[in-house]
Amino acid sequence: MTLTAGRRLARRPAQGGRPVSPAHTDQVAKSTIWILAAQAEACSAQERSQFAQAVTALGEAHRADRVLLATCHRAELLGIGPASNAEALVSILAPGGLGSRLRLLTGGQAIRHTFRLAAGLESAALGEDQILHQVRESRESARGRQTDPVLARLLETAIGIGRRTRAVRSGGGRSDVGPASTALDWLEGQGTLRSGGRLLIVGSGAMGKLLAFEARRRRMQITVASRQESHAAALARIVSGRAVGLAEAAAIAPAHDGVAVALRGPWPEGNAIPAPAPTVDLSSPPAITAPTHTPYLDIDGLHRLSAASHPTADPLAYSISANQAVEQTALEFERWLSGRASVATLRSLRDSAERRRKAETQLLLRRLPDLQPRERALVEEFSQRLVSALLHEPTSRLRDDADGETAAAARRLFDL
């Protein structure tokens, strides 16, 4: 896949993007990621609202290949496909005068803009948390529509960047311990969990480990639960705790002084706990719904609490670190996109070769009607091995295709 860097499309330049002209007809690749943006520096609040309402009324915000992000400062439609799709929308809005003030970002520029949003680099207050929460809300809304997998991965990756960059903004100390330490500080602040208290940790992944190590440092009694009890047992041994499964964890949760959840995916049993202890859910998205009668803190609340307790100590250092994370992750994402194109080309090449093999083999067998079943099977096997051998080198090259050039060459050579 070829990624474009964004294009100058009309009457006046705009920082970080290009104004859109309905008359522009230049096409970009079918799978290009694009963003049509109405932002505070170019559009009034009324115009941003008008844009969000227009794309919703036209059904653009409900398509599988679209995601709308609307906040007080911006209204942006994230899409995948030809940029002409965005330009068609602009042509509808142009009579009202809004079209000329929209910005179109495509390819790598759109990818980096999305990541910068989540990292808080495009916000009035550097590193503010609200935009990350809004990106999460857009992701959650998109999940119900079976959103295009490229857009879904883009949003998930952006959220991951937002979390990583905010984990280091307070400056000093070990950044990876920050979320776990803040979570346990909050649980202790609820008045039930103290040194020597009983903590239930649901999840044995990276964040579960951080929680367990921090809890051991605070001399807490630890119970670890996981989808795979063997993983829970391994972590429990390290921190001198007890290991249980998720179902048992839900049953014993009320007997603990605090619960910390860090799962990939939902914890259905956790929603049925009759009288849960104060709970912090570090899962993204949250693994349980917020209980109504007990203190509860989700990952967004944790970020806000961390920001309030530990404001960005060095804005310049935060900006440099976040920009480096954005650029590195954008390059990785672009390589992943190129790999997807190569996989599709490889599949097409194999399918084309198999169709040709079958046709030629059947033609040969019809010319040799006296062959015995075993001989016919040998001919069939030989044709399969021959095609496999011929495709071995192209297959290896396509699997190692980092920039999509090999896939493009294969599509031209084999007319795929």
Side-chain angles (χ1 to χ4, degrees):
M1 170 185 171
T2 301
L3 294 173
T4 59
R7 299 163 294 143
R8 186 78 55 188
L9 296 178
R11 310 163 190 164
R12 63 182 180 86
Q15 182 180 4
R18 305 168 188 248
V20 179
S21 168
H24 186 81
T25 58
D26 184 32
Q27 299 292 312
V28 293
K30 181 179 180 181
S31 55
T32 295
I33 295 170
W34 53 262
I35 294 175
L36 192 59
Q39 298 178 333
E41 62 270 21
C43 302
S44 66
Q46 182 178 0
E47 288 172 329
R48 296 195 298 274
S49 177
Q50 174 192 345
F51 174 73
Q53 292 172 8
V55 298
T56 301
L58 291 169
E60 292 288 321
H62 304 296
R63 292 173 45 163
D65 57 350
R66 305 284 190 271
V67 175
L68 176 65
L69 176 64
T71 74
C72 57
H73 294 293
R74 68 187 73 248
E76 302 186 1
L77 185 66
L78 174 63
I80 186 165
S84 58
N85 291 343
E87 294 168 21
L89 177 60
V90 172
S91 68
I92 297 174
L93 299 173
L98 178 59
S100 64
R101 289 187 292 283
L102 299 177
R103 293 188 294 161
L104 177 63
L105 303 94
T106 60
Q109 191 179 18
I111 292 168
R112 286 164 175 79
H113 176 75
T114 304
F115 292 167
R116 286 176 58 83
L117 277 181
L121 292 170
E122 296 286 341
S123 302
L126 182 67
E128 59 96 2
D129 291 304
Q130 187 61 27
I131 185 62
L132 179 58
H133 177 65
Q134 290 157 345
V135 173
R136 283 198 183 95
E137 288 182 331
S138 296
R139 186 269 315 271
E140 290 303 308
S141 174
R143 277 181 168 170
R145 302 193 306 275
Q146 296 183 334
T147 301
D148 180 74
V150 172
L151 293 186
R153 185 177 180 117
L154 180 70
L155 291 173
E156 293 288 352
T157 306
I159 292 168
I161 289 178
R163 293 176 63 186
R164 293 198 305 274
T165 53
R166 285 163 175 80
V168 301
R169 65 179 166 192
S170 58
R174 286 180 54 193
S175 61
D176 58 347
V177 178
S181 179
T182 302
L184 295 186
D185 286 345
W186 180 84
L187 285 173
E188 290 182 332
Q190 305 312 304
T192 57
L193 185 64
R194 291 284 187 270
S195 178
R198 295 161 297 179
L199 174 67
L200 172 62
I201 299 174
V202 185
S204 56
M207 184 55 67
K209 289 183 174 68
L210 290 174
L211 287 164
F213 297 153
E214 181 65 13
R216 181 182 63 176
R217 188 185 69 81
R218 301 186 187 204
R219 303 181 185 278
M220 295 176 181
Q221 301 177 47
I222 304 168
T223 301
V224 181
S226 178
R227 299 190 195 281
Q228 299 186 41
E229 290 193 41
S230 59
H231 293 177
L235 179 56
R237 282 195 296 271
I238 296 173
V239 297
S240 302
R242 173 190 176 194
V244 298
L246 292 188
E248 185 178 353
I252 65 175
H256 287 74
D257 302 310
V259 178
V261 185
L263 287 173
R264 292 181 180 177
W267 181 28
E269 299 93 340
N271 292 322
I273 300 174
T279 301
V280 59
D281 190 349
L282 290 83
S283 313
S284 180
I288 61 174
T289 56
T292 55
H293 301 297
T294 192
Y296 171 82
L297 185 72
D298 65 6
I299 186 69
D300 289 326
L302 182 70
H303 282 310
R304 288 191 291 271
L305 179 64
S306 178
S309 303
H310 309 286
T312 304
D314 188 340
L316 178 60
Y318 178 85
S319 179
I320 292 173
S321 174
N323 275 293
Q324 289 175 341
V326 166
E327 183 59 26
Q328 178 182 350
T329 310
L331 292 173
E332 293 171 355
F333 193 88
E334 290 173 350
R335 284 195 292 269
W336 174 78
L337 280 176
S338 298
R340 281 175 58 88
S342 299
V343 168
T345 301
L346 176 58
R347 187 180 298 114
S348 296
L349 178 60
R350 286 176 172 173
D351 291 345
S352 176
E354 179 61 13
R355 287 193 299 269
R356 189 65 177 269
R357 183 199 69 79
K358 286 183 177 180
E360 295 296 333
T361 302
Q362 290 302 316
L363 179 61
L364 175 62
L365 292 176
R366 283 197 296 270
R367 293 178 177 179
L368 300 172
D370 297 331
L371 290 182
Q372 298 299 312
R374 182 175 181 278
E375 294 168 329
R376 295 174 69 88
L378 287 173
V379 170
E380 185 79 22
E381 180 183 350
F382 169 77
S383 68
Q384 292 174 346
R385 293 177 62 183
L386 178 61
V387 169
S388 179
L390 290 173
L391 289 181
H392 175 73
E393 185 62 24
T395 296
S396 298
R397 295 292 183 90
L398 284 168
R399 284 175 174 166
D400 295 335
D401 187 16
D403 58 10
E405 290 186 2
T406 303
R411 290 193 294 270
R412 291 193 299 270
L413 286 171
F414 297 100
D415 192 25
L416 299 175

